[in-house]
Each structure stands twice: as C-alpha cells, then as structure tokens.
C-alpha cells in the first residue's frame, strides 16, 4: 500500500519551520514517500487540522500519516506552557482515539538558538527524525516489524 504523509506546518516561527520541513522532506524524498504540506498559524491548530484532514481523506488506498511541525519558544508568560501542553495533548488524544499515525516535530525551546540547533541541515534535524518515525510507525501499523 502506498504511503501518504501530511506535514502540518505551524509557521509562527517561519524560519525554523522551513528548516524542519526541509529535514522531513529530505527523509520522505529519500524514501519515495508522497507528502503534502498544510500550513497553519500555530501549534494549537495542528491537532484540529489533523482531525479535519483525516476525516476527509481517509482512504483504503493509502497508509496515511501526519507530521506536526512547529516551534514554541518560551516567553515571559505562561502561554508557552499552555501551547506546549495543549498541542501535545491534542495530538496524543487523536493518536489514541482514532488510531492515527502522528509524529511530532514541534520544538519546545528556551530560545531561538536552541531551535536552530535542532533544525540543522543534516540527519540530526528533528523534522527528519519525525518523518523517519512516521515511516516506521506506518510499517508497524501494517504488520511490518
């Protein structure tokens, strides 16, 4: 069965998300996996977007997986904690309730330098890791382990 991956890109920190997307796309291209990039404003919109897309594109013809990409940088208020916790909780709920393959490359960092370090143009890129994990989980879902 052909794999189809949706990269849900929270582009609030556009420079960082572009770097993470590049890492994910590198892996997907290396492994000839179809993908589509969907842009949203922030990390809180990632679970909602996944749910809406999954409900509309679910197909017996494709193995569908999702990669959440974004960056949350700690600021001076508790908003950081809310966004980090709620975006992760939303993703986890979808995974458990709907049996959806979702991997997470939403960086949660103290500053921009940490985000840049985690989005280098090499195989340490967290977008690359999320794409690899998504591929592996799709295989496991199909009994290939």
């Amino acid at each position: 069965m052909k794999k189809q991956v949706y990269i849900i890109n929270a582009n609030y920190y556009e420079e960082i998300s572009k770097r993470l997307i590049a890492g994910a796309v590198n892996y997907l291209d290396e492994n000839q996996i179809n993908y589509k990039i969907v842009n949203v404003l922030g990390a809180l919109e990632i679970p909602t977007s996944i749910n809406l897309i999954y409900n509309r594109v679910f197909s017996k013809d494709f193995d569908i997986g999702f990669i959440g990409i974004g960056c949350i940088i700690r600021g001076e208020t508790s908003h950081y904690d809310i966004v980090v916790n709620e975006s992760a909780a939303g993703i986890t709920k979808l995974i458990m309730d709907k049996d959806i393959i979702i991997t997470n490359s939403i960086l949660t960092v103290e500053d921009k330098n940490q985000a840049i370090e985690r989005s280098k143009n090499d195989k340490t890129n967290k977008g690359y890791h999320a794409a690899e994990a998504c591929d592996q989980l799709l295989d496991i879902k199909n009994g290939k382990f």
Side-chain angles (χ1 to χ4, degrees), residues 30-110:
E30 287 171 7
N31 292 279
Q32 297 152 0
I33 298 171
N34 293 328
Y35 65 89
K36 180 171 175 66
I37 300 169
V38 178
N39 293 305
V40 297
L41 290 177
L44 287 174
E45 288 75 42
I46 290 175
T48 302
S49 300
I50 292 171
N51 188 48
L52 292 170
I53 293 167
Y54 183 79
N55 288 337
R56 283 161 180 74
V57 303
F58 177 77
S59 169
K60 299 282 186 209
D61 298 327
F62 288 95
D63 285 332
I64 298 173
F66 294 87
I67 302 169
I69 284 184
C71 181
I72 306 166
I73 299 175
R74 185 180 300 279
E76 296 178 7
T77 69
S78 61
H79 185 66
Y80 169 89
D81 297 309
I82 292 166
V83 175
V84 167
N85 293 330
E86 292 303 316
S87 61
I91 289 171
T92 301
K93 183 166 177 39
L94 285 170
I95 292 167
M96 303 311 279
D97 290 353
K98 292 195 172 197
D99 197 28
I100 303 174
I101 300 300
I102 307 171
T103 57
N104 187 342
S105 182
I106 303 171
L107 302 181
T108 55
V109 296
E110 299 296 320

Side-chain angles (χ1 to χ4, degrees), residues 13-20 70-74 105-121 124-127:
Y13 293 103
E14 190 173 355
E15 174 190 356
I16 303 302
S17 65
K18 281 182 180 179
R19 293 165 60 106
L20 293 168
C71 181
I72 306 166
I73 299 175
R74 185 180 300 279
S105 182
I106 303 171
L107 302 181
T108 55
V109 296
E110 299 296 320
D111 56 48
K112 187 175 178 181
N113 289 335
Q114 289 180 347
I116 289 170
E117 183 66 25
R118 288 160 178 75
S119 61
K120 289 181 181 176
N121 187 21
T124 66
N125 180 296
K126 298 306 179 190

